[in-house]
Amino acid sequence: MRHFKKGRNFSRTSSHRFALLRNLSIAIIRYGVIRTTIHKAKEVRGFFERLVTKSKIDSVQTRRFLFSKLMNKEAVDQLYRVVVPRFLKRPGGYLKVLKIKERIGDCASMALVGFVDRL
């Protein structure tokens, strides 16, 4: 039984999975919209939305927390300068996942992940 087995593991170790979510989150901050598989898109949505909600409070503690999750100072700065001011009044739901056509090589179902106000 799968009691308390939350999330997808993508057949990766926990450190590899966390690195995947970190890299996808940094790409969303940097580019605004990314293209990835639908399962990765759904998984990164929850991870990233927790970070945006946490970053609404600008303090040294939250900046350190975000840096520990993203490990990229430029991404944390851009998150505070560009992303958070757009969503201060929004209570949640910062990312949108749009299904697109399948990838040609292996027929994996693909999706666009981006901010709600950009897609």
Side-chain angles (χ1 to χ4, degrees):
M1 286 187 244
R2 281 187 46 91
H3 296 305
F4 301 110
K5 304 267 188 207
K6 184 176 148 190
R8 298 167 177 87
N9 64 5
F10 300 119
S11 298
R12 291 172 165 89
T13 62
S14 61
S15 59
H16 191 184
R17 194 167 47 248
F18 186 72
L20 169 77
L21 295 175
R22 174 187 297 150
N23 289 333
L24 289 173
S25 298
I26 291 171
I28 291 171
I29 293 170
R30 185 173 292 153
Y31 302 113
V33 178
I34 61 169
R35 193 183 89 183
T36 184
T37 62
I38 191 115
H39 299 293
K40 289 178 188 175
K42 288 180 179 180
E43 199 64 27
V44 77
R45 181 177 50 190
F47 179 80
F48 186 74
E49 287 187 358
R50 280 188 217 110
L51 296 181
V52 174
T53 303
K54 188 84 167 174
S55 65
K56 286 184 177 183
I57 301 167
D58 190 6
S59 67
V60 175
Q61 181 182 5
T62 56
R63 282 185 182 262
R64 286 180 179 168
F65 172 79
L66 290 172
F67 183 76
S68 74
K69 296 295 181 189
L70 294 177
M71 297 299 245
N72 190 332
K73 188 176 181 189
E74 292 81 24
V76 173
D77 290 339
Q78 192 170 359
L79 184 67
Y80 275 104
R81 280 188 292 108
V82 179
V83 177
V84 172
R86 294 191 299 192
F87 298 118
L88 276 176
K89 302 225 190 265
R90 190 176 181 92
Y94 313 110
L95 290 182
K96 183 185 267 190
V97 176
L98 291 175
K99 293 181 185 177
I100 57 176
K101 66 180 188 175
E102 297 171 340
R103 189 164 48 199
I104 292 172
D106 58 354
C107 276
S109 43
M110 300 296 286
L112 286 177
V113 183
F115 295 113
V116 174
D117 56 356
R118 283 196 64 184
L119 286 179

